[in-house]
Amino acid sequence: MPNRAHVVITDYITEPEIERPVLEADAEITCLGARGSSELVGRLRDADVVLCCHDARITAEVLDGAARCRGVIRIGVGYDNIDTRAAGERGIVVCNVPDYGTEEVADHALALLLALARRLFPAVESVRGGLWNPEMTRHAPRLRGQTLGIIGSGRIGSALALRARVLGMRVVIFDPYLPRGFEKSLGVERVWDLAELLPQCRFLSVHCPLSDETRHMLDAARLNLLPRGAFLINTARGGIVDEQAVLRALDAGQLDSAALDVLECEPLADEELRRHPRLLVTPHCAFNSAAAGPELRRKAAEEALRLLRGEPPRNPVNSQFLRTSRLP
């Protein structure tokens, strides 16, 4: 069909069974299966809309070879693998899918918190090793009355706050970008500075985006502001936490234990991170479930369809950089 639109899925997805029913009446779909930005250079010439996951970065060089592209849609919440400024300067709108997987990530963060607090994995491994030692949880903290600090109280951070309150935990949030009084809608407390939050937190959970502002936000100095023997959970982005500082804090006893679903370099290659006895690592899977994966992909495809049909996108994230727009 002449002049038929073209949607390119850059990475991770190899069969567009979710996207096809949404887009097939309006566009052809191509899956590139790229593993990095170098595999995308020159391969987006015919793309009207680009859908990307997390394996490939959408750089300025990649965008220079996408002369027809109207929009780049991140199949996910975080979009730090897309050069949003470069896209905006070229008239390309960047969108994400912020309204999926909230329940899954909040549930996963809570599961990690409970696993750390109750010494779940060491207890299981001890039984597998032939031991039977009920004393393993003798020093486990009772959660009721403990303080959980949450960095970033958007959809997921707020969902975790509500879950923790049910357990009787005291919840304190830090998020300078929320309107004043937001904390009252959750029934939690709020502080306006990390230096005020961290000394209060027996448990700390990270739920903010990765940016220049938040990269290595939790470094050695800030981890040392936590009470000795604190617990750390990160299901946001790996770069927010200095992993080497976490290892040092674990070895020094500053952290009792930590759980990371996200890492600076994925998949995990660092054997010290993999094998540390008080570090629990899951494979960037907090977002996923039988319901969340299809929901995410369908919503991304629906956003692509809106762009193809000249309708306003629902979730643009780079409006501040758009000088002109290639959208009709």
Side-chain angles (χ1 to χ4, degrees):
M1 180 181 295
N3 300 320
R4 188 164 170 79
H6 188 200
V7 173
V8 173
I9 303 175
T10 59
D11 58 300
Y12 190 72
I13 295 168
T14 57
E15 175 51 47
E17 69 274 5
I18 304 295
E19 296 78 11
R20 188 176 291 114
V22 178
L23 293 166
E24 62 185 350
D26 292 75
E28 300 289 344
I29 305 171
T30 300
C31 296
L32 296 181
R35 296 294 297 178
S37 59
S38 62
E39 297 182 24
L40 296 177
V41 175
R43 300 182 69 188
L44 302 180
R45 297 186 191 90
D46 300 327
D48 294 284
V49 175
V50 172
L51 296 170
C52 69
C53 297
H54 52 270
D55 287 341
R57 297 189 65 82
I58 308 299
T59 64
E61 184 182 11
V62 170
L63 294 169
D64 282 338
R68 280 174 42 178
C69 182
R70 309 176 199 176
V72 176
I73 298 167
R74 171 69 167 90
I75 307 176
V77 178
Y79 46 90
D80 47 282
N81 62 323
I82 303 170
D83 190 331
T84 54
R85 179 185 292 274
E89 290 172 349
R90 290 158 177 77
I92 300 170
V93 65
V94 177
C95 305
N96 70 340
V97 184
D99 55 342
Y100 94 100
T102 298
E103 298 95 330
E104 283 79 6
V105 181
D107 289 347
H108 198 87
L110 181 61
L112 294 176
L113 186 157
L114 290 167
L116 295 183
R118 295 301 306 163
R119 281 49 169 155
L120 183 63
F121 284 86
V124 170
E125 288 303 313
S126 73
V127 173
R128 287 178 174 168
L131 302 177
W132 191 261
N133 181 14
E135 295 298 304
M136 292 196 69
T137 53
R138 173 178 289 276
H139 299 293
R142 175 179 287 173
L143 290 182
R144 181 170 297 277
Q146 297 286 349
T147 296
L148 167 64
I150 296 178
I151 299 176
S153 193
R155 296 171 181 85
I156 296 168
S158 295
L160 177 63
L162 294 175
R163 286 158 170 73
R165 286 192 62 216
V166 172
L167 298 177
M169 300 187 78
R170 171 183 176 244
V171 179
V172 184
I173 64 171
F174 167 70
D175 192 327
Y177 296 100
L178 294 174
R180 289 184 178 273
F182 176 84
E183 67 278 8
K184 296 181 182 296
S185 66
L186 298 177
V188 301
E189 300 173 47
R190 183 177 191 177
V191 296
W192 295 89
D193 191 282
L194 274 178
E196 184 180 356
L197 174 72
L198 297 177
Q200 304 182 54
C201 300
R202 186 72 186 279
F203 295 85
L204 181 66
S205 192
V206 182
H207 298 281
C208 58
L210 177 63
S211 65
D212 290 340
E213 178 186 10
T214 63
R215 187 174 298 278
H216 281 195
M217 172 185 283
L218 292 178
D219 57 11
R222 284 184 166 141
L223 291 176
N224 282 332
L225 293 178
L226 291 164
R228 186 170 177 81
F231 299 80
L232 172 67
I233 300 101
N234 184 14
T235 55
R237 281 292 183 268
I240 299 167
V241 174
D242 182 339
E243 294 161 3
Q244 294 306 307
V246 169
L247 289 173
R248 292 194 296 271
L250 289 168
D251 290 339
Q254 176 62 18
L255 288 176
D256 176 288
S257 52
L260 308 175
D261 182 59
V262 287
L263 299 168
E264 288 197 80
C265 181
E266 298 178 359
L268 174 60
D270 187 319
E271 288 301 310
E272 191 174 5
L273 288 171
R274 189 190 307 276
R275 301 191 183 283
H276 198 286
R278 289 185 288 116
L279 179 62
L280 175 60
V281 179
T282 55
H284 201 152
C285 61
F287 70 95
N288 218 347
S289 73
E295 177 190 17
L296 165 63
R297 292 173 59 181
R298 175 180 54 79
K299 286 184 172 181
E302 289 170 349
E303 186 80 310
L305 185 62
R306 282 188 283 274
L307 297 185
L308 292 175
R309 292 181 173 178
E311 300 171 6
R314 290 185 181 170
N315 301 300
V317 297
N318 71 330
S319 300
Q320 71 273 34
F321 302 129
L322 275 170
R323 298 174 181 174
T324 61
S325 176
R326 294 180 185 176
L327 296 176

